[in-house]
Amino acid sequence: MGFQRQLVLFIMAFMNFSYEHKAIAQWPPYNSIVSQVTKHTDPTNNKPLYSVEIMTKYFWGDFIHTNFLIDIDTPFIWYDCILNYDSNPTENYTCPSKTVCADPVSCGEPECRDIQTSSSYKQYSSSCPPATNSLTLPGWSGCTCPVSIVDPINGSCGEGLLGISELYFEVPFFEGLFPNTLCAPSSTFDLFPANVSGVMGLSTSAYALPSHSVTNGVFPRAFSLCLPSSVSKTGVFFLGSSSYYFSPHSKVDVTSYLSYTPLLNHSDSFGYFIGVKSIVIKKRAINVPTNTTTKLSTLEPYTILRSDIYNQVVRRFLKVTRELTMAKPVAPFDFCYEASTNGTKVGLKVPDIDFSLEDGKKWTVHTANSMKQVTKDVACLAFVEGGATSEHGIVIGTHQMEDNFLKFDLVNWTLGFSSSLLTKGTSCASFNSVNH
C-alpha cells in the first residue's frame, strides 16, 4: 500500500493503456499540455466563472471529462470522486462505471501527515473546524485522511479525503498519477455552475498543479491562462511553457506579445501579486500608495479598487468621457453609459486605462476590458469600489483578463501579460492546436 505500490500499478496500467492508444499518446520531452477553458455563469449570483476540462477516468474505450473550476488561490486539487480500495485492482476493479475513483491515502502515511501539518494547509483551513471524518473502507485496514476544503464560491467549509488520482490531458496526451488530490462528495458541488464538479488549484502551493510532484520536472513550472469572453466560445489553459499560435496569425508565437513583471510574495496568500505604481488615464497618472498590494483573482468578476484609489480613478474617467451620455447605473456598477443612439447600436470606445507597473511596464486595459455591456443599450465602467479598509488596494478581476494572454512563470517568478489580444486581431477563442 502507499505511493510506491501505486506507482508500480500505474506503470503496468500505462504500458497496457499506451499500447492501445499509441496513435495519440506521447511522453515527455514536450514542454506543455493544453486544455480548453469554458466560461460559466454562477447560478447563485450570476457572476462569471471559468473551468478547465481534464479527463479523470478511462473506462471501456472512453474518458470521463470533468470540468474543474479555475482557482489561482486554493492550494489543492479536489473534485467529485470516491475512494476505492481493492487488494488486487488489476484483476478485480470495483469502481462503478460512471463514477470516478481514487486510491486512498492512509491517515498513517507520510503524505497525510505532511499535508495536515503543512503551513499551506493550516493557513488555508484556519477558518474551518479541524477535519476529523476519518473512515475505514471495505477490505482495507487503514483509516482515510480527511482534509478541510473551502468552497471558493461562497467560502463555506467542507471535507475531502486524500487520495491518489489519475488525470489525463489530451493535447498532447499525458497521463499522470497525482498523489495529494482530494475526493469530495457530489453534494459539495450543488451550487457550482452546471457540469462543474472540481476545483483546480493553480496557486503557489506545493500541492497545486504547477508545483505538483508529478508535473514538476516533467514540464517547466509555469502555466498560462487565456480566458474567453463569451460562454459560447472556449479559451485555453497551458501547463508548462512553449510556443503558442492563434489564428489567423499561424506563424506568430503569442508569447512574443508578452511583457513581463515580477510576481511578488505575500505571506498570507497562495495567490499571485504584482506591483502597480500608478493608474494612468489619458496621460494623467493616479498614484497608488506605497505598499499597496495588487492581487490577481479568477473568482472576482471585475477589478476591485480600494475607495481612495477608486475615487480618483472614476473622477478622472468621468472627466475624459464627459462627451458620452450617462445612463442609469446598473449594479454592481456606479457609472454607465448609453451604447445606442435612436435605437441604433454604436461602437462605444473609451480611453485606455493603464496599470503602470513598478518596473516601467504597463498593462493596458482597452475598452473591451474596461467596459461591461450590461444590456444592448447600456455599457458600464467595469471597476467596483472595495471600501476604505479592503485588504488589497487592487484586485484585478476576470473581466479585465478576458482575451488577454497571461503566463505565470514560477521558475523566473514573473507574470507575462499581452494586454488585449483583440488589438492583435485574435482572441483566446482562436488557439490553433494544430501548430502546438
Side-chain angles (χ1 to χ4, degrees):
M1 192 168 63
F3 184 70
Q4 289 183 336
R5 168 182 173 273
Q6 301 297 339
L7 184 60
V8 172
L9 294 176
F10 166 68
I11 294 171
M12 293 170 59
F14 180 78
M15 291 174 64
N16 293 329
F17 183 88
S18 60
Y19 175 78
E20 183 176 351
H21 289 265
K22 62 182 178 181
I24 61 170
Q26 300 183 44
W27 196 251
Y30 48 79
N31 291 326
S32 69
I33 48 182
V34 183
S35 293
Q36 74 174 24
V37 172
T38 301
K39 182 177 182 178
H40 306 267
T41 300
D42 181 354
T44 59
N45 57 22
N46 207 37
K47 76 175 184 179
L49 295 168
Y50 306 81
S51 69
V52 58
E53 183 180 86
I54 296 172
M55 299 174 291
T56 50
K57 182 177 180 180
Y58 178 70
F59 183 79
W60 289 105
D62 201 5
F63 285 99
I64 291 178
H65 292 75
T66 299
N67 288 313
F68 290 76
L69 185 72
I70 294 173
D71 188 350
I72 59 174
D73 280 310
T74 190
F76 303 126
I77 304 168
W78 49 282
Y79 66 113
D80 184 2
C81 58
I82 63 172
L83 295 185
N84 181 79
Y85 177 77
D86 197 304
S87 59
N88 194 352
T90 59
E91 294 182 7
N92 185 29
Y93 195 56
T94 58
C95 183
S97 61
K98 294 184 179 181
T99 303
V100 178
C101 295
D103 291 310
V105 172
S106 167
C107 63
E109 292 190 34
E111 295 93 334
C112 182
R113 293 193 297 271
D114 288 348
I115 204 167
Q116 289 186 337
T117 59
S118 71
S119 58
S120 294
Y121 175 59
K122 290 180 178 180
Q123 179 178 313
Y124 165 76
S125 63
S126 60
S127 60
C128 298
T132 57
N133 188 27
S134 183
L135 305 171
T136 300
L137 303 177
W140 193 46
S141 60
C143 51
T144 56
C145 179
V147 177
S148 293
I149 52 177
V150 180
D151 186 321
I153 296 176
N154 61 20
S156 62
C157 297
E159 281 193 1
L161 295 177
L162 190 63
I164 302 171
S165 301
E166 290 183 6
L167 301 180
Y168 310 84
F169 296 82
E170 192 167 7
V171 182
F173 184 80
F174 173 73
E175 178 186 14
L177 194 68
F178 285 76
N180 300 333
T181 54
L182 305 176
C183 285
S186 299
S187 59
T188 305
F189 306 97
D190 285 348
L191 298 181
F192 277 50
N195 301 319
V196 177
S197 55
V199 176
M200 180 53 64
L202 296 176
S203 68
T204 59
S205 163
Y207 307 107
L209 186 64
S211 300
H212 204 287
S213 59
V214 173
T215 56
N216 188 10
V218 176
F219 307 105
R221 279 202 316 133
F223 70 94
S224 299
L225 285 176
C226 206
L227 301 181
S229 56
S230 169
V231 294
S232 63
K233 298 178 180 179
T234 58
V236 284
F237 163 79
F238 306 96
L239 178 65
S241 182
S242 186
S243 299
Y244 307 113
Y245 301 89
F246 286 65
S247 299
H249 310 303
S250 59
K251 295 183 180 180
V252 180
D253 176 9
V254 72
T255 61
S256 67
Y257 299 146
L258 301 183
S259 299
Y260 293 87
T261 192
L263 288 168
L264 305 179
N265 291 311
H266 193 288
S267 59
D268 296 327
S269 176
F270 307 110
Y272 297 94
F273 296 80
I274 58 175
V276 174
K277 188 165 69 172
S278 64
I279 300 174
V280 181
I281 304 175
K282 212 168 185 178
K283 299 182 180 180
R284 178 72 60 85
I286 296 155
N287 289 328
V288 173
T290 305
N291 298 325
T292 295
T293 52
T294 298
K295 181 180 181 179
L296 284 82
S297 173
T298 53
L299 299 177
E300 293 295 343
Y302 309 107
T303 290
I304 302 170
L305 302 176
R306 195 176 59 217
S307 295
D308 59 321
I309 302 171
Y310 178 82
N311 291 334
Q312 295 182 75
V313 167
V314 297
R315 188 181 304 120
R316 176 62 179 166
F317 190 82
L318 291 174
K319 184 174 182 178
V320 301
T321 58
R322 58 182 177 271
E323 74 281 2
L324 300 177
T325 303
M326 300 289 291
K328 184 179 179 180
V330 178
F333 310 114
D334 293 328
F335 302 98
C336 300
Y337 299 84
E338 290 185 6
S340 65
T341 302
N342 296 325
T344 301
K345 187 175 180 179
V346 298
L348 184 68
K349 181 170 174 54
V350 299
D352 294 339
I353 298 174
D354 293 330
F355 289 107
S356 180
L357 308 178
E358 290 183 345
D359 52 358
K361 306 292 177 55
K362 67 175 182 179
W363 181 346
T364 298
V365 181
H366 298 285
T367 300
N369 297 111
S370 65
M371 303 299 293
K372 171 66 177 176
Q373 193 81 30
V374 294
T375 72
K376 65 182 181 66
D377 298 322
V378 175
C380 300
L381 178 63
F383 290 74
V384 296
E385 185 174 4
T389 60
S390 59
E391 180 182 4
H392 306 294
I394 302 171
V395 178
I396 298 177
T398 53
H399 186 73
Q400 282 66 44
M401 298 181 193
E402 289 181 346
D403 286 320
N404 284 237
F405 191 96
L406 300 177
K407 179 180 179 180
F408 297 79
D409 186 337
L410 277 64
V411 176
N412 298 305
W413 207 239
T414 58
L415 173 73
F417 57 94
S418 66
S419 296
S420 178
L421 294 179
L422 301 179
T423 65
K424 309 292 186 182
T426 188
S427 71
C428 289
S430 302
F431 175 62
N432 187 348
S433 61
V434 175
N435 285 356
H436 179 65

